[in-house]
């Protein structure tokens, strides 16, 4: 079983990059078996087709627009994931939607897609997350761990 943990977002736009930052924090603190790939997908271009197609399960980590208060965590699975694309936060979300649609047409889509997200607060130009959203990163890391456990993978803490 191969699983891709894909951090998404533009790190130049403050909280828009929280998916990448959560993936980085997870990767720094936890080790996973070789069957799990942890990747910075950035703004997710079409060059990611082969990468996503080579995995049975996709766990995407991203900023999400849900109408809920900033800092609200969201985990969507299966058929709930496409509904997320109706309220796009940024152009890369259309890119991921297009990638998944292309893979479905080619018969190479992952067997399952899980989206772990957090509602952003600040989307201005800047490399830092807002303090309120940065404080949510540990909960996002725990959501990544929970999603991996759903697939029978037990991440191990990295030695300090």
């Amino acid at each position: 079983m191969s699983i891709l943990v894909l951090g998404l977002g533009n790190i130049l736009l403050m909280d828009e990059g929280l998916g990448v930052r959560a993936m980085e924090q997870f990767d720094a603190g936890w080790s996973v078996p070789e069957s799990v790939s942890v990747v910075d997908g950035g703004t997710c271009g079409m060059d990611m087709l082969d990468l996503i197609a080579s995995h049975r399960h996709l766990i995407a980590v991203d900023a999400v627009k849900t109408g809920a208060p900033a800092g609200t965590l969201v985990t969507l699975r299966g058929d709930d994931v496409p509904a997320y694309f109706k309220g796009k936060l940024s152009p890369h979300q259309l890119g991921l939607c297009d990638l998944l649609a292309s893979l479905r047409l080619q018969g190479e889509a992952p067997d399952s897609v899980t989206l772990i997200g957090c509602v952003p607060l600040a989307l201005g130009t800047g490399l830092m997350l807002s303090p309120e959203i940065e404080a949510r990163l540990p909960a996002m890391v725990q959501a990544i761990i929970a999603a991996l456990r759903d697939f029978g993978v037990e991440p191990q803490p990295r030695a300090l």
Side-chain angles (χ1 to χ4, degrees):
M1 173 186 329
S2 61
I3 302 168
L4 174 61
V5 177
L6 186 64
L8 298 171
N10 186 338
I11 62 169
L12 302 176
L13 298 176
M14 298 181 71
D15 295 347
E16 217 288 312
L18 69 90
V20 172
R21 299 300 185 208
M23 180 276 313
E24 290 171 342
Q25 196 169 95
F26 169 76
D27 197 37
W30 298 86
S31 64
V32 290
E34 289 182 16
S35 62
V36 178
S37 302
V38 181
V39 175
D40 174 349
T43 54
C44 198
M46 292 302 279
D47 56 332
M48 307 263 326
L49 273 172
D50 289 338
L51 176 66
I52 295 172
S54 67
H55 292 84
R56 286 189 55 208
H57 305 287
L58 170 63
I59 300 171
V61 187
D62 200 0
V64 296
K65 180 181 173 183
T66 66
T72 301
L73 296 181
V74 176
T75 300
L76 302 172
R77 292 178 184 84
D79 293 338
D80 292 334
V81 174
Y84 146 78
F85 294 113
K86 292 178 182 169
K88 287 181 262 323
L89 183 63
S90 68
H92 78 263
Q93 292 174 345
L94 180 59
L96 181 60
C97 180
D98 289 341
L99 285 172
L100 293 172
S102 295
L103 290 169
R104 276 191 293 279
L105 285 172
Q106 298 170 17
E108 297 178 339
D111 292 344
S112 69
V113 178
T114 300
L115 174 69
I116 297 169
C118 180
V119 178
L121 175 65
L123 299 172
T125 303
L127 294 173
M128 304 299 291
L129 297 174
S130 64
E132 297 85 351
I133 298 305
E134 187 170 7
R136 301 300 287 151
L137 290 181
M140 291 187 75
V141 168
Q142 289 304 310
I144 294 169
I145 292 167
L148 288 168
R149 286 178 176 154
D150 287 346
F151 294 116
V153 173
E154 187 60 46
Q156 298 298 311
R158 291 192 189 273
L160 297 176

